[in-house]
Amino acid sequence: MSHYEIQGGRPLCGSLAVHGAKNSVLPILAACLLVPGQCTIHNCPDLSDVSATLDILRLLGCRADREGDTVIVDASALIRWDIPEHLMREMRSSVIFLGALLARLGTAELSYPGGCELGPRPIDLHLSALRALGAEIREEQGALCCCRCREGLHGREICLSIPSVGATENAMLAACGSPGLTTIVGGAREPEIVDLQKFLQAAGAQVTGAGTSAILVQGGVPLHSAEHWVMGDRIAAATYLCGCAAAGGEIQVTGTAPDALTAVLSCLEEAGCTVHTGPDWIGLTSRAPLGGIGPVRTAPYPGFPTDAQAILMAALAGGRGATLFVENIFDSRYRHVDELRRMGADIQIAGRAAMVSGVGRLHGAAVRSTDLRGGAALVVAGLGAEGTTQVSELRHIRRGYQALDRELRALGAEIREIP
Ligand code: UD1
């Protein structure tokens, strides 16, 4: 089984350009379905989740070609509106195709996105938003059959009780195909939602307000070919910064706006790192070990991102001092903790809380990625640990990181993939 082998304790040094954001490019690729023409998406990372999305687009009848970091999608002639179970299971975020297909074709048939590594991930908010716009949705034997009602889709107010990223995106896409004004109240404010809005605007859609909790969509406007540059991946940036924080050294991460990572950067500063920023870069200097910090509570943007929880925890577990983490977004997002314990971490879990008592330095061990960010956290831990760490189940990591080992090697880490 292929795995990463990491010799810990090598300080990181140098500069790295972060790849395009996974959580931005996936909804943008789905949004290409709304356009009866060609969309050119630059800074498109080479991730297994992106490949799975391109497979879905091709199955639906799109041309989808990659040339380096650019992907060209032509959705002029769609041939079907159903996505089979094996493709849906590949990637849970494929539920975003529901809104996209509904907007373009007025009908969609998807299998239910299955069980999840982060605990239950309901889609009730997605479905009620689409129903509000006039979709009729039947759930039968694990399948979701969705079509517009007899009167057709129509814009209206949608109130989200939780600022769900996916539900906000699904509502935005469906609203583009729903004539009239839709107001999405209480939507997510993540930077990736702003990026989706930029793409939709480039295609001629009348969408405003992303980045605030009220998004306005004037739907039913014909869309046209568009070109878009995907924002940098702030969670990948956070991963490299936490890796440097754990191992020591000095790195600069370019291609990502520091404003999108304020909550993470202030934690790293509090732990003893020095952080410098420019308009689209972040520099970090660390003389590990890190100190403990005040409670880290995950929250919707601009709060501390749940996607960075495991990664920061891994860095602090090998520091000195205690830090309390509280995971407020997902129920089961501490699966990396057992693996960190194999490396000597002292972490006590009680419900949503995890108390990390820094042990000064972790030690290398054979560990297993439990999910995407949990896997990245083990790499961060391995970079700072004494001795050799082997991280297996790389398929999780490949969902969201392009050539993680190569990028880290370029910064001086001793990491290689053993086939
Ligand atoms: C997205 C990101 C994921 C990130 C998460 C939180 C993508 C592809 N994925 O996931 O990486 O970890 O945001 O920032 O962009 N909820 C409901 N009902 C729903 C939908 C969500 O109760 O219909 C709840 C969830 O259980 C969770 C919370 O809302 O507690 C937030 O989830 P959500 O923002 O929807 O996460 P995702 O869009 O799945």
Side-chain angles (χ1 to χ4, degrees):
M1 196 172 38
S2 79
H3 61 270
Y4 286 151
E5 193 169 276
I6 306 165
Q7 301 295 333
R10 312 283 189 269
L12 301 191
C13 179
S15 178
L16 142 131
V18 82
H19 58 68
K22 171 181 93 74
N23 289 351
S24 184
V25 74
L26 300 181
I28 287 171
L29 287 172
C32 289
L33 277 184
L34 270 60
V35 179
Q38 185 171 295
C39 293
T40 307
I41 312 299
H42 302 290
N43 203 27
C44 186
D46 191 4
L47 310 171
S48 61
D49 270 12
V50 170
S51 306
T53 304
L54 296 179
D55 284 345
I56 292 176
L57 288 171
R58 290 188 191 109
L59 174 107
L60 297 172
C62 300
R63 196 168 58 79
D65 301 320
R66 178 185 277 281
E67 289 167 22
D69 281 350
T70 297
V71 164
I72 299 173
V73 178
D74 189 334
S76 299
L78 300 184
I79 52 171
R80 54 194 280 185
W81 54 82
D82 61 309
I83 304 179
E85 193 187 348
H86 70 277
L87 287 175
M88 284 299 291
R89 233 185 303 121
E90 192 99 346
M91 194 187 45
R92 262 159 290 270
S93 57
S94 48
V95 69
I96 186 74
F97 279 100
L98 209 50
L101 283 167
L102 195 62
R104 175 72 189 278
L105 300 174
T107 181
E109 215 175 297
L110 270 57
S111 71
Y112 219 87
C116 185
E117 70 228 7
L118 308 180
R121 279 173 99 169
I123 57 166
D124 55 311
L125 298 172
H126 301 240
L127 301 187
S128 61
L130 301 181
R131 284 190 173 113
L133 295 172
E136 286 175 353
I137 305 172
R138 281 177 296 122
E139 300 170 52
E140 25 185 77
Q141 295 169 353
L144 288 163
C145 304
C146 186
C147 62
R148 60 182 161 226
C149 65
R150 193 145 14 111
E151 300 77 40
L153 301 178
H154 46 79
R156 60 169 287 183
E157 182 171 289
I158 295 171
C159 290
L160 295 176
S161 54
I162 301 174
S164 154
V165 175
T168 304
E169 292 166 343
N170 240 332
M172 284 167 79
L173 298 194
C176 284
S178 308
L181 178 68
T182 294
T183 312
I184 304 167
V185 181
R189 294 185 285 158
E190 266 69 359
E192 292 77 11
I193 306 265
V194 178
D195 209 27
L196 176 61
Q197 171 177 281
K198 282 186 187 155
F199 167 74
L200 290 169
Q201 286 174 340
Q206 291 180 15
V207 189
T208 54
T212 75
S213 53
I215 299 171
L216 305 182
V217 183
Q218 187 66 49
V221 177
L223 302 192
H224 52 71
S225 295
E227 195 163 348
H228 180 75
W229 180 276
V230 175
M231 65 177 275
D233 195 312
R234 62 195 172 102
I235 304 301
T239 306
Y240 292 109
L241 294 170
C242 286
C244 180
E250 185 169 357
I251 65 165
Q252 191 185 50
V253 178
T254 64
T256 188
D259 293 356
L261 268 180
T262 307
V264 176
L265 298 183
S266 53
C267 289
L268 289 170
E269 278 185 309
E270 193 183 337
C273 301
T274 308
V275 175
H276 297 287
T277 59
D280 70 341
W281 59 266
I282 302 162
L284 180 135
T285 309
S286 166
R287 283 172 199 83
L290 303 172
I293 61 176
V296 179
R297 300 174 203 279
T298 65
Y301 188 84
F304 189 92
T306 173
D307 282 355
Q309 175 254 107
I311 294 158
L312 179 66
M313 184 184 289
L316 293 175
R320 294 189 205 286
T323 303
L324 174 69
F325 282 79
V326 183
E327 173 55 56
N328 291 311
I329 307 295
F330 292 111
D331 285 347
S332 176
R333 211 165 191 181
Y334 286 138
R335 293 185 27 182
H336 51 281
V337 166
D338 274 344
E339 303 300 308
L340 288 174
R341 285 185 183 133
R342 287 179 203 274
M343 301 177 72
D346 178 353
I347 305 172
Q348 305 302 321
I349 298 179
R352 292 187 170 277
M355 190 69 205
V356 179
S357 303
V359 292
R361 185 128 192 234
L362 300 177
H363 57 73
V367 287
R368 198 174 54 83
S369 304
T370 49
D371 58 88
L372 165 57
R373 305 303 171 188
L378 298 176
V379 172
V380 166
L383 293 171
E386 184 164 6
T388 308
T389 298
Q390 291 163 337
V391 181
S392 61
E393 301 282 354
L394 300 183
R395 68 195 159 90
H396 292 296
I397 295 178
R398 291 195 178 103
R399 288 187 44 223
Y401 294 88
Q402 181 174 310
L404 181 62
D405 55 336
R406 196 184 62 209
E407 299 287 19
L408 286 169
R409 264 197 309 279
L411 295 174
E414 216 174 306
I415 173 171
R416 60 193 177 119
E417 184 173 338
I418 311 289

